[in-house]
Structures are given as structure tokens and as C-alpha cells.
Amino acid sequence: MRNVIIAGNWKMNKTFSEVEDFLDDFVDELEGTDHAGVEVVICPPALYLELASDYAQDSTFFTGAQDVSAHESGAYTGEISASMYSSMGITHCIIGHSERRKYHHEKDSLIHEKLQKLLAEEIVPIVCVGETLEEREAGITRNVILDQLKGVFEGISFNDPIVIAYEPVWAIGTGKTASPEQAQEIHAIIRQWVKAHVSPAAAENVPILYGGSMKPENIAELISQPDIDGGLIGGASLDAKKFIAMVKTAVEM
Ligand code: 13P
């Protein structure tokens, strides 16, 4: 049985004091919640990772970054390497988010390099894939997802933990969630790809999260699908009450 993962991607939100307020509230609530079988990950802006991982030391959530450099060290102004994260106890890292693909022109080949850097540091990558609205309307969603999987995971063994997140771009921050059936269809395609190109065991073990306007009102119907193993949550993860409500729903299922 795969664990369920409830991960919050804060993107570029919150001031320092807002982060403290969130974590104070959240850690209190999480302490009173038996969430065996449900892993909780919070991915704040890099500046707050140290603070979040300090809270995580006395709590039961993991701390994740939102991106990583494809380089090891050196003259790369503004970048943060995987070894820097691991030296600070950061356990997870999102890569390939559609906002990085769109605003920073990241391609699958670069995401593949980032993936290798994370795996070398034993940081769990949360690798995002997803189609745009134009691609869905053109009926090429399946091919887009398969191309992304091939480009990012070619030659990757899956011997170390890897998480995949299906985030349809048209559902991110739009309030428009994929229906459980739409999401399940793509999750099954992703799992099938891993089965065919890596191994049946890897396919069985890889958690595949859904992301895109997931919230307390729709999480249950999404994660009750057989191939949806949790969520990568943006907007609704910024509110400690909503985020803990989603953790609790996952626990109850
Ligand atoms: P929203 O939950 O705000 O739609 O964002 C999803 C997302 O991009 C998580 O990485």
C-alpha cells in the first residue's frame, strides 16, 4: 500500500511573520492528529526553509523546496543546489512545475538534470507534469504527458523514492478542478508508463499526486480514485485551517 501524500506548494507567498503564524497554528493542529499513512509536506519559499525545518524537527511534517539548480556549485547567481538543501535537512523538492516551465522556459532535459541532482542528495523529487488548455482541447493530453515523462525520467531507475504530480495547467489557480475521472485517466496513464518503462514494482510504489485547485471541498472525491495518491496543493495550502482539514480528510479515507 502506498502512503498518501498531502503537500503544500506555497509558491511566492507569505511574509516571515505570516509563516510563523501559519506554522504555530498548523503544528498545534497536526500534533493532535494521528496521521499514520499520510505524509505531510510543506514547500515554502526557499528563504523560509530553515524556519520551516526548525518547526518540522518537533513535528511530523516534511519540508520541501520549490525548485533546485541543475548545477552543483559555483557562479550561478541566485541559484540553490541540492547539496545545500540536504545540508539543511530539506527532504523534498518540487521540480518541473508548470510555472517554472512557463516563466523560466524550463525544458524536460533541464528537469532531468535537476532530478539527477536531487537523487544524488537523497532528496525526494516531486516531479510535475501536465498539459495546457490548448493541448487538452487539441486532444493531445496523453502524448504531452508521455513526452514529459520520457524527457524527464529517461534512464532513471526509480530505486530511490520519487513522487510524480499531475497538474493540468488549466486547473492551476483557476478554481477549475479536473473531474475525478479526468484526473484518474491521466494518473493511470502515468502509472502505466512507469510500469512499461521502469518496472511493475516501481509503478506500484510511485505516489502520483493531483494538483490544480484542490481544496477541502473536492479532495475526498479526487484521492478516492485508485491511482490518485494525494495532492500538491497551492492556494488552499496557504491557510492552516484548510490545509489541516485536507490532511484530516486524507486520514479518514
Ligand atoms: P492551486 O492549488 O492554487 O491550483 O495550485 C496548484 C499547484 O500549482 C500546486 O503546485
Side-chain angles (χ1 to χ4, degrees):
M1 270 301 281
R2 296 179 292 272
N3 273 349
V4 170
I5 301 176
I6 302 297
N9 173 11
W10 286 1
K11 309 190 180 184
M12 195 173 73
N13 287 293
K14 293 193 186 293
T15 62
F16 186 81
S17 64
E18 287 168 350
V19 176
E20 287 183 313
D21 288 348
F22 178 104
L23 290 171
D24 284 338
D25 292 348
F26 185 74
V27 163
D28 264 4
E29 282 282 344
L30 194 64
E31 204 173 298
T33 307
D34 177 3
H35 63 103
V38 176
E39 290 175 31
V40 179
V41 186
I42 295 180
C43 304
L47 199 54
Y48 308 133
L49 280 169
E50 186 177 6
L51 176 65
S53 66
D54 278 352
Y55 275 86
Q57 298 248 309
D58 300 319
S59 183
T60 49
F61 70 91
F62 297 100
T63 313
Q66 297 178 11
D67 184 40
V68 68
S69 176
H71 303 285
E72 181 50 51
S73 66
Y76 301 102
T77 301
E79 299 215 2
I80 301 174
S81 71
S83 57
M84 292 176 185
Y85 288 142
S86 66
S87 74
M88 308 254 328
I90 307 304
T91 52
H92 293 67
C93 182
I94 299 167
I95 50 173
H97 194 280
S98 61
E99 288 147 18
R100 301 286 318 170
R101 293 176 187 261
K102 181 175 176 190
Y103 301 124
H104 301 271
H105 314 291
E106 294 197 3
K107 300 278 175 271
D108 293 328
S109 53
L110 179 74
I111 299 160
H112 174 81
E113 288 174 36
K114 293 183 174 195
L115 175 63
Q116 287 180 312
K117 288 286 182 294
L118 292 175
L119 292 173
E121 292 295 333
E122 297 180 6
I123 294 172
V124 181
I126 303 174
V127 182
C128 303
V129 296
E131 81 287 3
T132 63
L133 184 60
E134 297 72 47
E135 289 163 341
R136 177 158 283 265
E137 286 177 345
I140 57 169
T141 298
R142 181 189 165 86
N143 286 347
V144 168
I145 302 298
L146 294 179
D147 278 354
Q148 291 175 345
L149 293 171
K150 184 170 187 293
V152 175
F153 291 116
E154 188 86 75
I156 299 291
S157 68
F158 280 66
N159 287 338
D160 299 302
I162 290 177
V163 177
I164 300 176
Y166 169 55
E167 297 208 319
V169 180
W170 48 271
I172 296 178
T174 58
K176 234 199 254 178
T177 318
S179 69
E181 296 73 26
Q182 278 174 323
Q184 166 58 28
E185 182 190 359
I186 306 302
H187 282 235
I189 288 171
I190 294 170
R191 201 175 303 285
Q192 183 54 41
W193 186 90
V194 176
K195 187 175 180 185
H197 293 86
V198 185
S199 69
E204 191 52 42
N205 292 332
V206 63
I208 308 176
L209 314 185
Y210 168 80
S213 299
M214 197 183 238
K215 48 188 181 240
E217 295 77 22
N218 62 24
I219 185 170
E221 57 179 17
L222 286 158
I223 66 174
S224 61
Q225 297 295 314
D227 289 300
I228 303 184
D229 305 310
L232 181 56
I233 301 145
S237 76
L238 294 170
D239 179 321
K241 284 199 173 56
K242 286 187 186 169
F243 194 51
I244 198 81
M246 297 169 90
V247 171
K248 286 183 177 172
T249 300
V251 168
E252 283 159 15
M253 294 189 57

